[in-house]
Structure formats: C-alpha cells, structure tokens
Amino acid sequence: MKKDNLKVVIAGGGSTYTPGIVQAMISSRGKFPFTSLTLYDIDESRNDDMYQIIDYMLEKESLTKEVSLTETTQPEVAFSEADFIFSQLRVGGMKMREVDEKIPMKYGLVGQETCGLGGFSYGLRSIKGLLEIVSYVEQYAPNAWLLNYTNPETLVSEAVRRAFPNVKMLNACDMTISIEETIATNYGYNRKNWIPVYYGLNHFGWYSSIYDKSVDRDILPEILERLEKERLHVADFNAGDDTWQEAWDMMRLMTKNFPGYLPNNYLEYYLYPNRTIEHTDPSYTRANIVMDGREKKTKEMARKIRAKEKGEILDFNFGEHGQYIMDMAASILNDQHDRFMLIVPNQGAIPNLRDDAMVEVPAYVGRSGAEPISLRFAINDFHKGLMEAQNAAEKLLVDAYFEHSYQKALQAFTLNQTVYSADPAKQILDDFIEANGNYWPELN
Ligand code: NAD
Ligand code: G6P
Ligand code: MN
C-alpha cells in the first residue's frame, strides 16, 4: 500500500456531508497525506455544487497546488488508481427518503430513514447502488479500501458480504460516537479516555460498559444515574435541531424503563413506536426538515462561491462525523490499531448470536482491516430476542433482493419489529413497490 500521494474518492460526492469529511482530511494531512481528491456522483449538478465548495475550502487552506481536485460522473475516471474510497450514497435522494418516511405513517406505523419499513424501502434501493460502487472498486481499484457510511448499514453490509465477500471494506456509523460526544459534553467528561463496550445491530444496540482510563473504572453506572436526573441537551454540532432533542429525551426514557444499559437512541422506533408517531408530523417529516435546512444551506454556499461573494460563506458543523471516518482511514494507513465501532460479521463476537449476523461491535483497525473484539459474555434474552427477530427480518429482506422474492419481502416486512400485523405490512409493501419503481429489484 502506498504511504503518501494518496488518491481519495468520495462516492456520493454531492452529499451534504462532504465538506465535513474534507475538513477532517485537511486537518489530518500529517497522518493521511492525500494529493488527489475525486468527487464521484451520478448527479452532475449536485457534484458540481460540492466541487465549488471543496475548491473554495482548499483555496482558503492554500492547498490548491498540493491537492488536485476532480469531479466526475464516470466510474473509470473516479476509481482508477484510488487508494481510499469514502462512500455515502443516498439512492433516490431526499425525495425518496420523504416517501419512505410518509408511506408507513399513512398506516399508523413508524416512518424513518433507516428503521422500520421506511428503512426497508431505502434498503432495497441502497443495496443496488452500493453493490454497483463495490463492483467498480473491484474492477478499477481492487487494492483500495472502501470505507462506507451509506445507509441502512446493516442491510447494505449484509448484501456486500454475500456478493463481494473479499472486498476491503469497513462499514461504520457515526451514531455511537455522537451519543458519546453528546453525553461527554453535557456531563463534563472527555470521551477520548473512554473504552466503551457496545453490541447490537446497526441503530439497534446497547452499551454494557464504558471504562474511563482517567479514573480506571467503568463509569456507565454513574452516566445512567445522571441520565435519570439531568436532561441531555443537544451538543453544539446539533444545536437548534429539535429532532435530536426528542431523540435524547427518548433515550433517557429507555434507560429509565430498561435500566443497566445505555441504548442506542434509534431503539425508540422499536420500543416506543406509539410515542415517536405522536411526535412526528406525517406531512412534514425529517426529510422535509433536512431539505429545508442542510440541503438549502449547501446550495446557498455553492451559489455564494459562484457569485464570488465576500465574507463568511462556509456554514456547516457535523461534529465528529467526518473525523471518525478519516481516523479509520489513517488507522489503516499507519497500522495504528485504533478502536472504532464497526458493522462486521458476528463470527463469535457476540457469543450467543448467529455467526452470520452483521453486528455492530468494537473493533481494532489496522493495515489488515478490522479485528473485532469478542464480548466474552452472553447477552441477555431481552436484547437477544429483539436482535434475533430484527436480524431475521433483515436477512429475509436481503434474500428478497437477491431472489426477487415478493414472499420473502412480505415476511421481512411482517417480521420487522415496528409492525403489529401482516395487513399493514402487505399494504405498505405494495405501496412501496409502486413508489420505488425501478429503484427496487423486481419482486415476483
Ligand atoms: P445526500 O442526498 O445529501 O447525498 C447523497 C449523494 O449520493 C447525492 O449527491 C446523490 O446524487 C448521490 N448518489 C445517489 N445515488 C448514487 C449512486 N448510485 N452513485 C453515486 N452517487 C449517488 O445525502 P446525505 O444526507 O448526505 O447522506 C448520504 C448517505 O450517508 C446516506 O446514505 C445517509 O443515510 C448516510 N449517512 C450515514 C451516516 C452513518 O453514520 N452511517 C451518517 C450520516 C449519513
Ligand atoms: C445519524 C445516523 C445516520 C443517519 C443520520 C441522519 O448520523 O448515524 O445513520 O443517516 O443521523 O441524519 P439526518 O440529519 O439526515 O436526519
Ligand atoms: Mn448511522
């Protein structure tokens, strides 16, 4: 593997998250010396907006000579000679996210980007898009590392595991880091001292301990105690975002009613669907909030740059999101063996769960990739039961994708832990088939 002059590709270059990743890359150039950055997207206009923003950022940092920036919609141009690929596609865009969120709500069920039936609708679109990226990597850059943020993580990583078992790929989610950062800043900890143990499926897991090196003990019990008494406020990077305040409030409710563990906030959709439905406006969901917020802000930045406006133009803050994936790449490059939460085949990591489940657990990352830890304890029946049902539903959905099976899709929809009856499962599946059109595989 090359140690410098790295070529990095961002697949889904037009993503609103790209500036945060590039900012982290710029500040990490010492340990991650890249000289070429390519934005690859199927949407030329989104990609060009981002090209303007990134070019502006590089100019501000006086890096335009050292880093060559390319935008392209051609896979061969993008992936040839790549060393690292960061992928963050949203197949169907925010418009289809809106559909994913709104259709289940019409039938009184949770409508969410990655959880529930909205997540399953997104999954069948996303698998197709991501498998395409992996096939380009295999064809044009077989030695490159692919670091993936594309959602829904468990579904896409399960599909890649089946179709491309040997690809050099890490699947990651920023949620654990964002939970940790929010707790640390609220309660005055430094999470750099933490060695957390966490297990689950993606957006479906629990912390069982958080060892703090500065005091040499597990501080999870004291964090849980504080959560009971003190409200958790959104950290700076989510400032003003009411959706996240609701999520932290729901997380506190879960720790109160199911003590002893810190749950991923996304479990609210499975444990309290009734409450999340109550606080969601079915005609203005998260997709609308993001389109009217982050997406508009991004377009506005590109407009101002094209118009050569003066003053403060850059306007984004994604917290640790960009740094997290950047740190993974550096940990591979420099064989650092830093620890991250990753989505990996279980293979005994959670001893009493099936080996071929895609689970999210801590893993050390070095030159040869991820080395997940084994928990060395059996998880309890409550967590195990929830995970097994959800995992079976996800496996069935991926089966449906590869086998073009309507029956498997219906089983998956019915088993999804947000669904109480096969009636809405079937109605929603049929609505999604129509709404997704060619984005979905044909189901017979
Ligand atoms: P976005 O819509 O702003 O950007 C996604 C980009 O992907 C768009 O520019 C789109 O044109 C492009 N795209 C769509 N299909 C493509 C394809 N087949 N090939 C190449 N490009 C394609 O979305 P966003 O809000 O920035 O999110 C991007 C992705 O990252 C989503 O999957 C989202 O769920 C995920 N995400 C994951 C995490 C995590 O922790 N894992 C965190 C944030 C976002
Ligand atoms: C967190 C999750 C991601 C998810 C994102 C949604 O970062 O880990 O998986 O995509 O939130 O954020 P948004 O602002 O698009 O609703
Ligand atoms: Mn996530």
Side-chain angles (χ1 to χ4, degrees):
M1 190 195 282
K2 276 191 340 218
K3 286 289 279 176
D4 51 18
N5 286 324
L6 302 171
K7 172 176 175 178
V8 178
V9 182
I10 301 188
S15 159
T16 43
Y17 284 98
T18 297
I21 293 180
V22 175
Q23 188 180 47
M25 287 172 62
I26 290 174
S27 61
S28 302
R29 280 189 82 231
K31 56 179 183 178
F32 191 77
F34 69 102
T35 48
S36 163
L37 174 61
T38 298
L39 305 179
Y40 167 75
D41 205 292
I42 51 169
D43 183 326
E44 204 169 347
S45 132
R46 290 182 68 95
N47 212 30
D48 189 59
D49 277 356
M50 201 45 69
Y51 181 90
Q52 302 303 326
I53 295 168
I54 303 306
D55 188 46
Y56 179 83
M57 286 170 68
L58 291 172
E59 202 177 303
K60 275 192 97 170
E61 302 287 338
S62 311
L63 284 172
T64 39
K65 284 213 174 67
E66 283 164 66
V67 176
S68 77
L69 179 65
T70 307
E71 57 177 318
T72 182
T73 54
Q74 292 173 44
E76 186 170 357
V77 174
F79 296 101
S80 296
E81 292 176 29
D83 297 298
F84 284 87
I85 296 119
F86 299 147
S87 90
Q88 42 173 0
L89 320 176
R90 185 183 291 287
V91 177
M94 284 291 167
K95 276 282 156 213
M96 286 308 293
R97 175 179 181 173
E98 186 181 6
V99 169
D100 295 341
E101 291 170 349
K102 290 184 177 171
I103 288 180
M105 291 203 81
K106 269 196 349 204
Y107 298 91
L109 296 188
V110 165
Q112 212 278 328
E113 177 198 17
T114 62
C115 300
L117 299 185
F120 276 13
S121 168
Y122 186 19
L124 289 186
R125 288 198 304 280
S126 210
I127 289 174
K128 214 170 163 182
L130 193 65
L131 289 181
E132 204 175 83
I133 298 294
V134 181
S135 76
Y136 296 145
V137 173
E138 188 156 85
Q139 187 178 353
Y140 299 117
N143 293 318
W145 273 98
L146 174 55
L147 274 50
N148 180 51
Y149 261 155
T150 304
N151 267 322
E153 284 275 3
T154 320
L155 292 168
V156 296
S157 57
E158 169 69 22
V160 172
R161 183 184 72 82
R162 294 189 197 185
F164 297 95
N166 298 320
V167 63
K168 288 158 77 174
M169 180 168 184
L170 300 184
N171 288 288
C173 164
D174 66 7
M175 200 60 248
T176 52
I177 211 75
S178 158
I179 292 172
E180 289 167 33
E181 188 66 13
T182 301
I183 288 179
T185 52
N186 266 270
Y187 299 155
Y189 294 105
N190 179 359
R191 69 167 183 81
K192 302 276 179 228
N193 294 326
W194 291 359
I195 308 175
V197 175
Y198 175 92
Y199 60 83
L201 312 173
N202 180 236
H203 291 184
F204 199 105
W206 296 265
Y207 287 85
S208 57
S209 64
I210 297 180
Y211 191 87
D212 188 320
K213 289 185 274 183
S214 69
V215 289
D216 270 316
R217 62 184 161 77
D218 175 14
I219 58 161
L220 183 62
E222 92 187 29
I223 289 176
L224 292 173
E225 233 171 77
R226 292 186 75 163
L227 276 167
E228 205 172 306
K229 298 192 197 100
E230 298 166 50
R231 198 168 181 201
L232 197 61
H233 297 284
V234 289
D236 279 354
F237 57 89
N238 283 327
D241 193 335
D242 294 342
T243 323
W244 284 106
Q245 187 58 58
E246 281 164 4
W248 303 136
D249 289 345
M250 288 300 293
M251 194 170 85
R252 286 184 69 220
L253 177 77
M254 292 189 280
T255 54
K256 182 163 170 265
N257 290 339
F258 300 98
Y261 299 84
L262 176 65
N264 191 302
N265 55 287
Y266 278 94
L267 278 161
E268 76 166 275
Y269 299 106
Y270 300 98
L271 299 181
Y272 293 101
N274 53 321
R275 291 188 189 236
T276 68
I277 289 163
E278 263 164 38
H279 65 225
T280 311
D281 176 352
S283 63
Y284 195 79
T285 57
R286 180 73 189 168
N288 300 106
I289 296 172
V290 174
M291 284 187 276
D292 290 342
R294 196 167 72 230
E295 220 168 36
K296 277 210 175 119
K297 242 162 73 171
T298 306
K299 282 204 180 80
E300 188 53 13
M301 285 192 275
R303 188 198 62 75
K304 285 182 178 169
I305 292 165
R306 284 197 185 94
K308 301 197 178 348
E309 283 189 16
K310 298 269 175 276
E312 202 48 61
I313 290 182
L314 298 177
D315 179 14
F316 60 87
N317 182 0
F318 302 123
E320 297 288 308
H321 175 90
Q323 196 61 51
Y324 195 51
I325 199 163
M326 177 62 254
D327 287 348
M328 269 171 231
S331 199
I332 293 174
L333 185 74
N334 307 315
D335 198 27
Q336 286 166 214
H337 294 270
D338 292 336
R339 182 168 161 134
F340 302 88
M341 301 302 175
L342 292 179
I343 297 133
V344 294
N346 185 30
Q347 303 293 7
I350 302 172
N352 53 341
L353 193 79
R354 63 193 275 183
D355 274 346
D356 65 352
M358 292 304 289
V359 296
E360 188 168 348
V361 289
Y364 290 92
V365 171
R367 204 62 174 231
S368 66
E371 294 178 297
I373 68 157
S374 162
L375 293 182
R376 289 165 288 133
F377 62 82
I379 61 170
N380 64 60
D381 277 334
F382 179 49
H383 296 173
K384 183 165 175 274
L386 284 166
M387 279 171 69
E388 283 176 341
Q390 183 63 16
N391 179 242
E394 292 176 345
K395 293 253 182 223
L396 284 164
L397 193 80
V398 179
D399 288 349
Y401 176 87
F402 285 112
E403 297 167 22
H404 295 270
S405 166
Y406 180 91
Q407 178 55 214
K408 289 272 184 81
L410 180 58
Q411 290 175 10
F413 270 54
T414 306
L415 189 55
N416 186 293
Q417 292 295 284
T418 61
V419 177
Y420 66 92
S421 159
D423 272 335
K426 185 163 186 339
Q427 287 162 321
I428 294 170
L429 175 59
D430 291 342
D431 281 12
F432 272 144
I433 289 175
E434 205 182 320
N436 277 286
N438 287 334
Y439 282 124
W440 265 22
E442 203 181 317
L443 300 177
N444 305 304

